Coordinates of all heavy atoms in Angstrom, one line a residue:
S1 N 0.8 -1.2 0.0 CA 0.0 0.0 0.0 C 0.9 1.2 0.0 O 2.1 1.2 0.2 CB -0.9 0.0 1.2 OG -0.1 0.0 2.4
R2 N 0.2 2.4 -0.2 CA 1.0 3.7 -0.3 C 0.4 4.7 0.5 O -0.9 4.8 0.8 CB 0.9 4.1 -1.9 CG 1.4 5.5 -2.1 CD 1.1 5.9 -3.5 NE 1.4 7.3 -3.7 CZ 2.1 7.8 -4.7 NH1 2.6 7.0 -5.5 NH2 2.4 9.1 -4.8
V3 N 1.3 5.6 1.1 CA 0.8 6.8 1.9 C 1.3 7.9 1.1 O 2.6 8.1 0.9 CB 1.3 6.7 3.2 CG1 0.9 8.0 4.0 CG2 0.9 5.5 4.0
D4 N 0.5 8.7 0.6 CA 0.9 10.0 0.0 C 1.6 11.0 0.9 O 1.2 11.1 2.1 CB -0.3 10.7 -0.7 CG -0.9 10.0 -1.8 OD1 -0.2 9.1 -2.4 OD2 -2.1 10.1 -2.1
A5 N 2.6 11.6 0.4 CA 3.4 12.5 1.2 C 4.1 13.6 0.4 O 4.5 13.3 -0.8 CB 4.4 11.8 2.1
D6 N 4.3 14.8 0.9 CA 5.1 15.8 0.4 C 6.5 15.9 1.1 O 7.4 16.4 0.6 CB 4.4 17.2 0.5 CG 3.1 17.2 -0.1 OD1 2.9 16.8 -1.4 OD2 2.1 17.5 0.6
A7 N 6.5 15.5 2.4 CA 7.7 15.5 3.2 C 7.7 14.4 4.2 O 6.6 13.9 4.5 CB 7.9 16.8 3.8
M8 N 8.9 14.1 4.7 CA 8.9 13.0 5.8 C 9.9 13.6 6.9 O 10.8 14.4 6.7 CB 9.5 11.8 5.2 CG 8.6 11.1 4.1 SD 9.5 9.7 3.4 CE 9.6 8.6 4.8
L9 N 9.6 13.0 8.1 CA 10.5 13.3 9.2 C 10.9 11.9 9.8 O 10.1 11.0 10.0 CB 9.8 14.1 10.3 CG 10.7 14.5 11.5 CD1 10.5 15.9 11.9 CD2 10.4 13.5 12.7
V10 N 12.3 11.8 10.0 CA 12.7 10.6 10.6 C 13.7 10.9 11.8 O 14.2 12.0 11.8 CB 13.5 9.8 9.5 CG1 12.6 9.3 8.4 CG2 14.8 10.5 9.0
G11 N 13.8 10.0 12.7 CA 14.8 10.2 13.8 C 15.9 9.2 13.6 O 15.8 8.0 14.1
P12 N 16.9 9.6 13.0 CA 18.1 8.6 12.7 C 18.8 8.3 14.0 O 18.9 9.1 14.9 CB 18.9 9.4 11.7 CG 18.7 10.8 12.1 CD 17.2 11.0 12.5
R13 N 19.5 7.2 14.0 CA 20.5 6.9 15.0 C 21.7 7.8 14.8 O 22.0 8.2 13.7 CB 20.8 5.4 15.1 CG 19.6 4.5 15.3 CD 20.1 3.1 15.6 NE 21.0 3.0 16.7 CZ 20.6 2.9 18.0 NH1 19.2 2.9 18.2 NH2 21.4 2.8 19.0
F14 N 22.5 8.0 15.8 CA 23.6 8.9 15.6 C 24.9 8.4 16.4 O 24.8 7.7 17.4 CB 23.4 10.3 16.1 CG 22.7 10.4 17.4 CD1 23.5 10.4 18.6 CD2 21.3 10.4 17.5 CE1 22.9 10.4 19.8 CE2 20.7 10.5 18.8 CZ 21.5 10.5 20.0
H15 N 26.1 8.6 15.7 CA 27.3 8.2 16.3 C 28.3 9.3 16.1 O 28.3 10.0 15.1 CB 27.8 6.9 15.5 CG 26.8 5.8 15.5 ND1 26.5 5.0 16.5 CD2 26.0 5.4 14.4 CE1 25.6 4.1 16.1 NE2 25.2 4.3 14.8
P16 N 29.1 9.4 17.2 CA 30.2 10.5 17.1 C 31.4 10.1 16.2 O 31.7 8.9 16.1 CB 30.7 10.6 18.6 CG 30.4 9.3 19.1 CD 29.2 8.8 18.4
R17 N 31.9 11.1 15.5 CA 33.1 10.9 14.7 C 34.4 10.9 15.6 O 34.9 12.0 15.9 CB 33.2 11.8 13.5 CG 32.2 11.9 12.6 CD 32.4 12.8 11.4 NE 31.6 12.8 10.2 CZ 30.7 13.7 10.0 NH1 30.6 14.8 10.8 NH2 29.9 13.6 8.9
I18 N 34.8 9.8 16.1 CA 35.9 9.9 17.1 C 37.0 8.9 16.7 O 37.9 8.7 17.6 CB 35.4 9.6 18.5 CG1 34.7 8.3 18.6 CG2 34.5 10.7 19.0 CD1 34.5 7.8 20.0
E19 N 37.0 8.4 15.6 CA 38.1 7.4 15.1 C 39.5 7.9 15.4 O 40.3 7.1 15.9 CB 37.8 7.0 13.7 CG 36.6 6.1 13.5 CD 35.4 7.1 13.2 OE1 35.5 8.3 13.3 OE2 34.3 6.5 13.1
P20 N 39.8 9.1 15.1 CA 41.1 9.5 15.3 C 41.6 9.7 16.7 O 42.8 9.7 17.0 CB 41.2 10.9 14.7 CG 40.0 11.0 13.7 CD 39.0 10.2 14.4
F21 N 40.7 9.6 17.7 CA 41.0 9.9 19.1 C 41.0 8.5 19.9 O 41.2 8.6 21.1 CB 40.0 10.8 19.7 CG 39.7 12.0 18.9 CD1 38.7 12.1 18.0 CD2 40.6 13.1 18.9 CE1 38.5 13.3 17.2 CE2 40.5 14.2 18.1 CZ 39.4 14.3 17.2
A22 N 40.8 7.4 19.2 CA 40.8 6.1 19.9 C 42.1 5.9 20.7 O 42.0 5.3 21.8 CB 40.6 5.0 18.9
G23 N 43.2 6.3 20.2 CA 44.4 6.0 20.9 C 44.6 6.8 22.2 O 45.4 6.4 23.0
L24 N 43.8 7.8 22.3 CA 43.8 8.7 23.6 C 43.0 8.1 24.6 O 43.0 8.6 25.8 CB 43.3 10.1 23.2 CG 44.3 11.0 22.4 CD1 43.5 12.3 22.1 CD2 45.5 11.3 23.0
G25 N 42.2 7.1 24.3 CA 41.2 6.5 25.2 C 39.9 7.2 25.2 O 39.1 7.0 26.2

């Protein structure tokens, strides 16, 4: 089935960009 829409809202999961800092703990 279909739901008509002009726009959507989503709540994404999120993760910090911290790969360069792993060696610091």
Side-chain angles (χ1 to χ4, degrees):
S1 62
R2 167 188 174 130
V3 178
D4 292 334
D6 305 301
M8 296 175 64
L9 183 139
V10 301
R13 298 189 63 82
F14 48 85
H15 308 282
R17 294 186 174 109
I18 59 168
E19 292 82 2
F21 311 99
L24 292 175

